[in-house]
Amino acid sequence: MTTTAAPIYGADIYEDQVLLEPYEHYRALRELGPAVWLEQHGAFAVARYAEARAVLMDSDTFRSANGIALNEPANQAILGCTLASDGDLHSQLRKVVAHRLTPRALRPMRELVTERADELVAGLVKRGSFDAVSDLARALPLSIVPDFIGWPQEGREHLLEWAGANFDSFGPMNARAQRAMPKCGEMAAYGAEIVRTGNVLPGSLGAGVLEARDQGEVTTEQCMMLMLDYLAPSLDTTISAVGSAVWLFAQHPDQWDLVRSDPGLIPNAVNEVVRFESPIRAFGRLAENDTEIGGVPIPAGSRILVIYASANRDERKFERADEFDVTRRDAVHQLGFGIGEHGCAGQGLARMETESLLAALARSVTRFRVGTPERALNNLIRAFGALPVTVETGV
Ligand code: HEM
């Protein structure tokens, strides 16, 4: 129970049916107001673009420490990691690793990523029919990211399950989050073991983190968190974007024709996929002091839920917001990678992977014919669990 001047929304926006069909709920939230009290979750939803962006840009008022997840155990478990820290600590942690992910630092990776994407797509096109999730969307990030992070070979078989659990744990403490907690514990224990043994690939991001610890830039505990900070968000997110891209281009062959006739559109197409089917639906924040969002009073200590997936469909910002259009100029304003201090540190890599796959597909595939997809329900990630596809190549 709360007394609030904000409009109230009664639905559980984490129940299966809402995860399957979220967009009407997002529309309802946007129409109710700039900040809406989610009765079931004890948080203010920020579902409109302008206010979502403003909250993300004001990290002094809307804090990430203790604020990312909708439940206390998860907030406690990740307290002090890059995602869940503020101010100087956040800058210090981000400095240890993020320089490895700038466009310039990633440039040498492009050849490898392109080569792997080309090989993968060539093999799948030859088969003609495949699963766009397991055979395509998962295959590329799994062949790139664990090596980049330096994760040892042993233990890799758990990565997808652990990373998915990590995102489930950030929702409210529903059955999905409860099931996820032990798996998050396993991932943290494995990260700690890696730091203890120093078992990371030489020259990798993980090796850099260990060096930073040895030089006294971060503590051993921070080092353990940093080991997972970049791994946990690096798989399901990109996998979601690639799966959604195939689905969207199957539904909109005219858009695929545009991409094929002008591959220069691919970077914008990636923005449009992330706008239209945002891989991460929402993250939280905690109000540091009494404040307001779009004129709605927000008391200090309130939990805020910034719904990127709704902001990206806000008709106040995007013309024809529910139309998938790879040529739209405003796609670049999408908030799917976040923005501000906590804006996605790995988006350069995610974009490179997704663009490389689309470029390889555009060279040979004229049409995607999809079978019945299966959604993989997760508290945060919008993705397919399976997407059978047959490709036509025009030869
Ligand atoms: C399509 C793919 C991806 C999407 C949509 C995505 C989305 C996001 C979003 C929305 C945030 C903002 C969190 C916030 O506002 O609190 C974020 C942060 C972050 N992402 Fe990504 N991400 C993607 C891929 C990746 C990859 C591949 C990596 C690592 C290699 C990565 C690493 C991170 C990290 C470390 C943060 C935390 C940044 C901070 O708190 O300073 N992400 N991501």
Side-chain angles (χ1 to χ4, degrees):
M1 275 285 286
T2 185
T3 49
T4 172
I8 294 174
Y9 200 61
D12 172 357
I13 62 164
Y14 289 85
E15 72 172 30
D16 289 6
Q17 203 45 45
V18 181
L19 295 187
L20 286 168
E21 301 286 345
Y23 293 108
E24 282 313 308
H25 289 269
Y26 297 158
R27 180 187 301 286
L29 286 168
R30 288 194 302 272
E31 276 169 14
L32 276 170
V36 177
W37 180 247
L38 295 173
E39 210 168 31
Q40 302 251 3
H41 307 304
F44 290 97
V46 179
R48 293 183 184 172
Y49 182 94
E51 287 79 12
R53 190 176 192 286
V55 167
L56 295 173
M57 293 303 288
D58 184 359
S59 50
D60 289 337
T61 308
F62 300 104
R63 310 290 273 178
S64 290
N66 278 309
I68 289 298
L70 275 183
N71 71 82
E72 276 319 300
N75 277 318
Q76 283 303 313
I78 60 166
L79 188 61
C81 76
T82 309
L83 186 66
S85 56
D86 299 300
D88 291 345
L89 173 60
H90 173 256
S91 314
Q92 181 201 348
L93 293 174
R94 196 148 162 154
K95 211 166 88 194
V96 174
V97 181
H99 64 92
R100 289 176 177 266
L101 286 152
T102 60
R104 178 198 282 248
L106 284 173
R107 219 171 282 152
M109 290 277 291
R110 186 165 284 278
E111 204 178 316
L112 172 73
V113 174
T114 309
E115 219 172 80
R116 293 262 170 93
D118 289 354
E119 255 174 48
L120 179 64
V121 167
L124 294 176
V125 166
K126 208 162 157 199
R127 271 167 55 185
S129 294
F130 54 90
D131 186 280
V133 177
S134 54
D135 298 329
L136 178 78
R138 285 186 192 145
L140 187 68
L142 279 176
S143 85
I144 300 282
V145 181
D147 284 345
F148 178 72
I149 298 208
W151 203 258
Q153 288 297 337
E154 57 276 18
R156 287 192 183 190
E157 68 278 14
H158 300 297
L159 283 181
L160 275 179
E161 190 190 16
W162 285 343
N166 187 67
F167 281 114
D168 263 338
S169 76
F170 293 162
M173 194 42 90
N174 56 14
R176 258 185 293 277
Q178 280 168 24
R179 276 196 302 272
M181 285 312 208
K183 289 181 193 145
C184 296
E186 285 171 25
M187 188 181 198
Y190 199 73
E193 175 71 3
I194 289 174
V195 171
R196 196 182 59 76
T197 56
N199 183 14
V200 291
L201 303 181
S204 63
L205 184 152
V209 169
L210 288 177
E211 275 162 32
R213 191 263 318 261
D214 295 343
Q215 285 162 13
E217 289 170 36
V218 289
T219 64
T220 297
E221 209 190 21
Q222 288 168 340
C223 188
M224 290 174 189
M225 289 206 170
L226 280 167
M227 217 45 101
L228 305 178
D229 271 356
Y230 286 76
L231 187 66
S234 63
L235 297 171
D236 301 60
T237 47
T238 313
I239 293 167
S240 155
V242 173
S244 293
V246 171
W247 168 255
L248 286 166
F249 286 119
Q251 307 306 312
H252 303 278
D254 57 318
Q255 296 297 308
W256 187 239
D257 288 343
L258 289 170
V259 166
R260 294 197 71 225
S261 62
D262 178 7
L265 279 174
I266 288 174
N268 202 53
V270 172
N271 276 324
E272 179 63 350
V273 169
V274 171
R275 182 192 74 82
F276 200 80
E277 288 283 19
S278 306
I280 296 182
R281 67 195 312 224
F283 267 129
R285 294 290 190 268
L286 205 65
E288 176 76 1
N289 39 259
D290 287 349
T291 182
E292 51 86 28
I293 294 175
V296 176
I298 306 288
S302 300
R303 205 169 278 304
I304 318 294
L305 189 69
V306 182
I307 310 183
Y308 315 99
S310 170
N312 282 338
R313 293 281 194 112
D314 187 352
E315 40 295 290
R316 292 160 194 79
K317 170 69 184 174
F318 298 101
E319 268 177 43
R320 303 170 287 111
D322 289 331
E323 239 178 73
F324 177 66
D325 175 359
V326 296
T327 66
R328 64 161 68 242
R329 289 184 184 196
D330 52 11
V332 69
H333 298 307
Q334 54 83 14
L335 293 178
F337 289 108
I339 196 166
E341 274 190 28
H342 289 276
C344 180
Q347 61 181 290
L349 184 55
R351 286 176 188 277
M352 193 183 276
E353 293 174 276
T354 314
E355 287 173 15
S356 301
L357 285 175
L358 288 182
L361 288 164
R363 277 195 296 277
S364 48
V365 172
T366 51
R367 284 288 176 269
F368 300 99
R369 308 271 177 220
V370 289
T372 308
E374 251 173 54
R375 281 264 167 215
L377 295 187
N378 182 289
N379 280 337
L380 258 73
I381 299 286
R382 174 151 177 90
F384 292 107
L387 179 59
V389 57
T390 299
V391 291
E392 289 175 13
T393 57
V395 288

